[in-house]
């Protein structure tokens, strides 16, 4: 366990890393008490590498609060309504709820970029709705066993946004996100720890 003196000496991120490493190791060893020797020796290097990779990925997928930007007309109420709508669509179509979370992660990360459409969407709620539709479309294509057709996504907007607009924006979003679309959850570390504890 990391002692208080070590915590003062180390950087915050290193301390967090060490605490996560210790907690995950304990969870795995408690989950497999009969294999403590094997798990204990195997876990040191593998778990350290997994945690380091996950922390790097989380830093790459980090975004800023675009609701605080000076040039935005989008507020918390607008984002909340769109989030609720995305979850309703996911629930009605029996998609995984995680797909909705991933979609909102794409939305938030895209809205922080310098993309012309992101700038426009911060000023125009109709454009913001198009971005929300398109990020759901992308998340569905990546994380669901079947792809949601762009024409269906257009129908979800009640014809406000065309199939062509959605397909064109898909590419712009992917480029703006630098094609980094494989983050499974907004907090993969939390997911990993929960999974280990449940085994």
């Amino acid at each position: 366990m990391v002692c208080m003196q070590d915590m003062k000496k180390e950087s915050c991120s290193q301390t967090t890393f060490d605490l996560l490493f210790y907690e995950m190791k304990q969870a795995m060893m408690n989950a497999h008490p009969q294999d403590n020797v094997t798990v204990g020796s195997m876990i040191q290097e593998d778990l350290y590498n997994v945690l380091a990779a996950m922390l790097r990925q989380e830093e790459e997928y980090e975004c800023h609060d675009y609701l605080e930007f000076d040039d935005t007309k989008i507020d918390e109420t607008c984002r909340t309504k769109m989030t609720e709508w995305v979850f309703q669509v996911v629930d009605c179509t029996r998609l995984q709820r995680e797909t909705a979370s991933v979609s909102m992660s794409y939305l938030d990360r895209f809205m922080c970029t310098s993309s012309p459409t992101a700038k426009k969407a911060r000023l125009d709620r109709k454009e913001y709705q198009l971005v929300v539709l398109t990020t759901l479309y992308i998340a569905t294509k990546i994380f669901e066993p079947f792809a949601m057709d762009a024409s269906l996504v257009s129908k979800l907007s009640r014809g406000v946004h065309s199939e062509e607009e959605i397909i064109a924006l898909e590419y712009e979003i992917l480029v703006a996100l630098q094609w980094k679309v494989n983050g499974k959850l907004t907090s993969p570390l939390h997911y990993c720890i929960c999974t280990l504890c449940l085994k």
Side-chain angles (χ1 to χ4, degrees):
M1 190 160 150
V2 179
C3 69
M4 290 305 284
Q5 285 181 330
D6 291 339
M7 288 175 110
K8 289 176 186 173
K9 290 178 189 173
E10 296 171 6
S11 71
C12 182
S13 60
Q14 185 62 43
T15 301
T16 303
F17 181 90
D18 291 339
L19 288 170
L20 284 169
F21 178 78
Y22 175 78
E23 291 299 324
M24 289 179 72
K25 180 180 172 184
Q26 288 303 114
M28 283 188 71
M29 292 182 81
N30 290 340
H32 306 283
Q34 69 280 7
D35 300 328
N36 264 352
V37 175
T38 310
V39 170
S41 59
M42 173 201 78
I43 208 171
Q44 296 292 336
E45 191 173 334
D46 290 345
L47 188 55
Y48 190 87
N49 290 338
V50 167
L51 271 174
M54 290 170 77
L55 284 169
R56 273 193 311 274
Q57 183 183 21
E58 200 161 75
E59 285 172 10
E60 289 175 7
Y61 283 66
E62 187 177 35
C63 70
H64 306 285
D65 187 359
Y66 60 90
L67 301 176
E68 299 284 321
F69 289 4
D70 292 334
D71 66 343
T72 189
K73 297 274 192 291
I74 305 301
D75 58 14
E76 286 181 37
T77 304
C78 181
R79 187 186 180 282
T80 300
K81 284 180 182 175
M82 294 311 297
T83 303
E84 288 169 356
W85 178 83
V86 167
F87 274 95
Q88 284 175 353
V89 169
V90 163
D91 290 342
C92 289
T93 54
R94 299 182 187 227
L95 300 173
Q96 302 171 69
R97 294 196 105 217
E98 186 177 323
T99 301
S101 297
V102 170
S103 169
M104 295 310 292
S105 171
Y106 294 164
L107 169 73
D108 292 338
R109 289 173 46 226
F110 175 71
M111 291 297 290
C112 294
T113 68
S114 58
S115 158
T117 303
K119 289 178 180 178
K120 192 174 170 185
R122 289 195 294 264
L123 298 171
D124 181 357
R125 290 184 178 199
K126 184 179 168 190
E127 198 70 25
Y128 186 68
Q129 182 189 47
L130 174 60
V131 175
V132 171
L133 286 164
T134 309
T135 57
L136 177 60
Y137 174 62
I138 295 168
T140 303
K141 285 175 77 172
I142 295 171
F143 289 98
E144 293 295 336
F146 66 92
M148 189 183 284
D149 191 62
S151 62
L152 173 61
V153 178
S154 174
K155 286 177 187 168
L156 288 171
S157 76
R158 297 186 177 138
V160 174
H161 302 290
S162 71
E163 187 177 339
E164 292 75 21
E165 285 180 297
I166 292 161
I167 292 168
L169 184 55
E170 175 188 17
Y171 182 74
E172 186 178 342
I173 290 172
L174 291 170
V175 170
L177 297 180
Q178 300 174 339
W179 297 85
K180 293 179 182 174
V181 290
N182 285 324
K184 283 205 75 154
L185 288 173
T186 48
S187 181
L189 289 171
H190 179 260
Y191 176 78
C192 186
I193 291 168
C194 288
T195 303
L196 287 171
C197 291
L198 293 173
K199 286 187 178 178

mmCIF file of all heavy atoms in Angstrom, residues 56 60 64 69 81 87 99-100 105 107 111 115 118 122-124 136-137 157 159 164 167:
data_model
loop_
_atom_site.group_PDB
_atom_site.id
_atom_site.type_symbol
_atom_site.label_atom_id
_atom_site.label_comp_id
_atom_site.label_asym_id
_atom_site.label_seq_id
_atom_site.Cartn_x
_atom_site.Cartn_y
_atom_site.Cartn_z
ATOM 1 N N ARG A 56 -2.975 6.238 -20.297
ATOM 2 C CA ARG A 56 -2.566 6.971 -21.495
ATOM 3 C C ARG A 56 -3.773 7.200 -22.411
ATOM 4 O O ARG A 56 -3.976 8.280 -22.930
ATOM 5 C CB ARG A 56 -1.482 6.209 -22.265
ATOM 6 C CG ARG A 56 -0.067 6.499 -21.806
ATOM 7 C CD ARG A 56 0.965 5.977 -22.794
ATOM 8 N NE ARG A 56 0.761 4.613 -23.216
ATOM 9 C CZ ARG A 56 1.200 3.539 -22.565
ATOM 10 N NH1 ARG A 56 1.872 3.674 -21.441
ATOM 11 N NH2 ARG A 56 0.974 2.327 -23.034
ATOM 12 N N GLU A 60 -5.668 10.703 -23.762
ATOM 13 C CA GLU A 60 -5.871 11.004 -25.174
ATOM 14 C C GLU A 60 -7.342 11.299 -25.483
ATOM 15 O O GLU A 60 -7.652 12.011 -26.415
ATOM 16 C CB GLU A 60 -5.398 9.833 -26.043
ATOM 17 C CG GLU A 60 -3.890 9.683 -26.068
ATOM 18 C CD GLU A 60 -3.437 8.449 -26.820
ATOM 19 O OE1 GLU A 60 -4.283 7.774 -27.439
ATOM 20 O OE2 GLU A 60 -2.234 8.148 -26.777
ATOM 21 N N HIS A 64 -12.506 19.109 -22.967
ATOM 22 C CA HIS A 64 -12.725 20.279 -22.118
ATOM 23 C C HIS A 64 -14.214 20.613 -22.081
ATOM 24 O O HIS A 64 -14.994 20.097 -22.874
ATOM 25 C CB HIS A 64 -11.912 21.463 -22.646
ATOM 26 C CG HIS A 64 -10.453 21.134 -22.803
ATOM 27 N ND1 HIS A 64 -9.607 21.043 -21.739
ATOM 28 C CD2 HIS A 64 -9.728 20.826 -23.906
ATOM 29 C CE1 HIS A 64 -8.405 20.711 -22.172
ATOM 30 N NE2 HIS A 64 -8.452 20.573 -23.483
ATOM 31 N N PHE A 69 -17.212 27.804 -23.057
ATOM 32 C CA PHE A 69 -16.627 28.655 -24.091
ATOM 33 C C PHE A 69 -17.428 29.950 -24.226
ATOM 34 O O PHE A 69 -18.656 29.948 -24.081
ATOM 35 C CB PHE A 69 -16.593 27.938 -25.444
ATOM 36 C CG PHE A 69 -15.595 26.807 -25.544
ATOM 37 C CD1 PHE A 69 -14.837 26.411 -24.465
ATOM 38 C CD2 PHE A 69 -15.427 26.130 -26.743
ATOM 39 C CE1 PHE A 69 -13.919 25.368 -24.567
ATOM 40 C CE2 PHE A 69 -14.521 25.088 -26.858
ATOM 41 C CZ PHE A 69 -13.767 24.712 -25.764
ATOM 42 N N LYS A 81 -31.052 17.618 -22.482
ATOM 43 C CA LYS A 81 -32.174 17.173 -23.323
ATOM 44 C C LYS A 81 -31.691 16.234 -24.426
ATOM 45 O O LYS A 81 -32.329 15.222 -24.724
ATOM 46 C CB LYS A 81 -32.895 18.366 -23.931
ATOM 47 C CG LYS A 81 -33.792 19.094 -22.949
ATOM 48 C CD LYS A 81 -34.490 20.266 -23.598
ATOM 49 C CE LYS A 81 -35.343 21.008 -22.562
ATOM 50 N NZ LYS A 81 -35.945 22.213 -23.110
ATOM 51 N N PHE A 87 -30.488 8.470 -25.073
ATOM 52 C CA PHE A 87 -30.789 7.279 -24.269
ATOM 53 C C PHE A 87 -32.177 6.722 -24.600
ATOM 54 O O PHE A 87 -32.363 5.503 -24.600
ATOM 55 C CB PHE A 87 -30.641 7.573 -22.771
ATOM 56 C CG PHE A 87 -29.232 7.408 -22.292
ATOM 57 C CD1 PHE A 87 -28.376 8.500 -22.212
ATOM 58 C CD2 PHE A 87 -28.732 6.164 -21.928
ATOM 59 C CE1 PHE A 87 -27.063 8.355 -21.781
ATOM 60 C CE2 PHE A 87 -27.425 5.997 -21.503
ATOM 61 C CZ PHE A 87 -26.589 7.095 -21.423
ATOM 62 N N THR A 99 -23.567 2.306 -25.724
ATOM 63 C CA THR A 99 -23.476 2.984 -27.018
ATOM 64 C C THR A 99 -23.881 4.448 -26.883
ATOM 65 O O THR A 99 -23.266 5.332 -27.487
ATOM 66 C CB THR A 99 -24.343 2.261 -28.067
ATOM 67 O OG1 THR A 99 -23.888 0.914 -28.180
ATOM 68 C CG2 THR A 99 -24.273 2.930 -29.425
ATOM 69 N N ALA A 100 -24.885 4.714 -26.065
ATOM 70 C CA ALA A 100 -25.310 6.103 -25.826
ATOM 71 C C ALA A 100 -24.204 6.880 -25.117
ATOM 72 O O ALA A 100 -23.914 8.032 -25.472
ATOM 73 C CB ALA A 100 -26.588 6.130 -24.995
ATOM 74 N N SER A 105 -19.715 10.822 -25.517
ATOM 75 C CA SER A 105 -18.280 11.080 -25.406
ATOM 76 C C SER A 105 -17.747 11.646 -26.720
ATOM 77 O O SER A 105 -16.988 12.623 -26.734
ATOM 78 C CB SER A 105 -17.542 9.784 -25.049
ATOM 79 O OG SER A 105 -16.145 9.958 -25.138
ATOM 80 N N LEU A 107 -19.499 13.248 -28.919
ATOM 81 C CA LEU A 107 -20.076 14.591 -29.023
ATOM 82 C C LEU A 107 -19.235 15.602 -28.253
ATOM 83 O O LEU A 107 -18.827 16.634 -28.797
ATOM 84 C CB LEU A 107 -21.515 14.595 -28.487
ATOM 85 C CG LEU A 107 -22.145 15.975 -28.282
ATOM 86 C CD1 LEU A 107 -22.483 16.623 -29.621
ATOM 87 C CD2 LEU A 107 -23.373 15.891 -27.399
ATOM 88 N N MET A 111 -17.043 18.624 -29.912
ATOM 89 C CA MET A 111 -17.438 20.012 -29.665
ATOM 90 C C MET A 111 -16.285 20.854 -29.125
ATOM 91 O O MET A 111 -16.339 22.081 -29.179
ATOM 92 C CB MET A 111 -18.633 20.064 -28.709
ATOM 93 C CG MET A 111 -19.919 19.527 -29.305
ATOM 94 S SD MET A 111 -20.512 20.460 -30.729
ATOM 95 C CE MET A 111 -21.024 21.969 -29.931
ATOM 96 N N SER A 115 -12.901 22.278 -35.325
ATOM 97 C CA SER A 115 -13.618 21.971 -36.568
ATOM 98 C C SER A 115 -14.645 23.073 -36.870
ATOM 99 O O SER A 115 -15.319 23.558 -35.962
ATOM 100 C CB SER A 115 -14.344 20.627 -36.408
ATOM 101 O OG SER A 115 -15.400 20.516 -37.313
ATOM 102 N N ALA A 118 -18.004 22.143 -35.520
ATOM 103 C CA ALA A 118 -18.083 22.228 -34.054
ATOM 104 C C ALA A 118 -18.304 23.677 -33.632
ATOM 105 O O ALA A 118 -19.139 23.962 -32.764
ATOM 106 C CB ALA A 118 -16.822 21.663 -33.412
ATOM 107 N N ARG A 122 -21.744 25.142 -31.801
ATOM 108 C CA ARG A 122 -21.749 25.844 -30.506
ATOM 109 C C ARG A 122 -22.627 27.093 -30.559
ATOM 110 O O ARG A 122 -23.008 27.632 -29.524
ATOM 111 C CB ARG A 122 -20.323 26.196 -30.078
ATOM 112 C CG ARG A 122 -19.495 24.985 -29.668
ATOM 113 C CD ARG A 122 -18.236 25.358 -28.905
ATOM 114 N NE ARG A 122 -17.268 26.090 -29.681
ATOM 115 C CZ ARG A 122 -16.225 25.561 -30.319
ATOM 116 N NH1 ARG A 122 -16.026 24.250 -30.278
ATOM 117 N NH2 ARG A 122 -15.386 26.318 -30.992
ATOM 118 N N LEU A 123 -22.940 27.541 -31.776
ATOM 119 C CA LEU A 123 -23.760 28.746 -31.956
ATOM 120 C C LEU A 123 -25.179 28.459 -32.430
ATOM 121 O O LEU A 123 -26.032 29.342 -32.410
ATOM 122 C CB LEU A 123 -23.086 29.676 -32.975
ATOM 123 C CG LEU A 123 -21.710 30.209 -32.585
ATOM 124 C CD1 LEU A 123 -21.062 30.921 -33.763
ATOM 125 C CD2 LEU A 123 -21.818 31.137 -31.389
ATOM 126 N N ASP A 124 -25.423 27.224 -32.876
ATOM 127 C CA ASP A 124 -26.699 26.907 -33.508
ATOM 128 C C ASP A 124 -27.210 25.547 -33.015
ATOM 129 O O ASP A 124 -26.584 24.520 -33.261
ATOM 130 C CB ASP A 124 -26.490 26.886 -35.028
ATOM 131 C CG ASP A 124 -27.743 26.581 -35.811
ATOM 132 O OD1 ASP A 124 -28.806 26.312 -35.207
ATOM 133 O OD2 ASP A 124 -27.667 26.614 -37.062
ATOM 134 N N LEU A 136 -24.202 9.525 -32.606
ATOM 135 C CA LEU A 136 -24.947 8.287 -32.316
ATOM 136 C C LEU A 136 -24.795 7.307 -33.478
ATOM 137 O O LEU A 136 -24.593 6.106 -33.275
ATOM 138 C CB LEU A 136 -26.424 8.604 -32.067
ATOM 139 C CG LEU A 136 -27.332 7.388 -31.823
ATOM 140 C CD1 LEU A 136 -26.878 6.594 -30.601
ATOM 141 C CD2 LEU A 136 -28.780 7.826 -31.660
ATOM 142 N N TYR A 137 -24.866 7.810 -34.684
ATOM 143 C CA TYR A 137 -24.684 6.997 -35.893
ATOM 144 C C TYR A 137 -23.302 6.324 -35.883
ATOM 145 O O TYR A 137 -23.176 5.122 -36.139
ATOM 146 C CB TYR A 137 -24.863 7.915 -37.103
ATOM 147 C CG TYR A 137 -24.584 7.308 -38.460
ATOM 148 C CD1 TYR A 137 -25.327 6.243 -38.944
ATOM 149 C CD2 TYR A 137 -23.587 7.847 -39.280
ATOM 150 C CE1 TYR A 137 -25.089 5.724 -40.210
ATOM 151 C CE2 TYR A 137 -23.348 7.332 -40.538
ATOM 152 C CZ TYR A 137 -24.097 6.267 -40.998
ATOM 153 O OH TYR A 137 -23.866 5.752 -42.254
ATOM 154 N N SER A 157 -34.574 12.528 -36.976
ATOM 155 C CA SER A 157 -34.605 13.993 -36.875
ATOM 156 C C SER A 157 -35.889 14.577 -37.465
ATOM 157 O O SER A 157 -36.023 15.795 -37.564
ATOM 158 C CB SER A 157 -33.389 14.604 -37.588
ATOM 159 O OG SER A 157 -33.562 14.572 -38.992
ATOM 160 N N GLY A 159 -36.793 14.483 -40.502
ATOM 161 C CA GLY A 159 -36.510 15.107 -41.784
ATOM 162 C C GLY A 159 -35.784 16.439 -41.724
ATOM 163 O O GLY A 159 -35.517 17.051 -42.749
ATOM 164 N N GLU A 164 -27.481 12.731 -46.424
ATOM 165 C CA GLU A 164 -26.214 13.237 -46.963
ATOM 166 C C GLU A 164 -25.466 14.093 -45.936
ATOM 167 O O GLU A 164 -24.240 13.999 -45.814
ATOM 168 C CB GLU A 164 -26.460 14.067 -48.234
ATOM 169 C CG GLU A 164 -26.960 13.278 -49.424
ATOM 170 C CD GLU A 164 -28.434 12.870 -49.345
ATOM 171 O OE1 GLU A 164 -29.200 13.517 -48.587
ATOM 172 O OE2 GLU A 164 -28.801 11.891 -50.012
ATOM 173 N N ILE A 167 -23.865 11.706 -43.330
ATOM 174 C CA ILE A 167 -22.699 10.990 -43.869
ATOM 175 C C ILE A 167 -21.503 11.940 -44.026
ATOM 176 O O ILE A 167 -20.376 11.578 -43.702
ATOM 177 C CB ILE A 167 -23.058 10.292 -45.198
ATOM 178 C CG1 ILE A 167 -24.040 9.144 -44.923
ATOM 179 C CG2 ILE A 167 -21.814 9.779 -45.908
ATOM 180 C CD1 ILE A 167 -24.687 8.552 -46.151
#
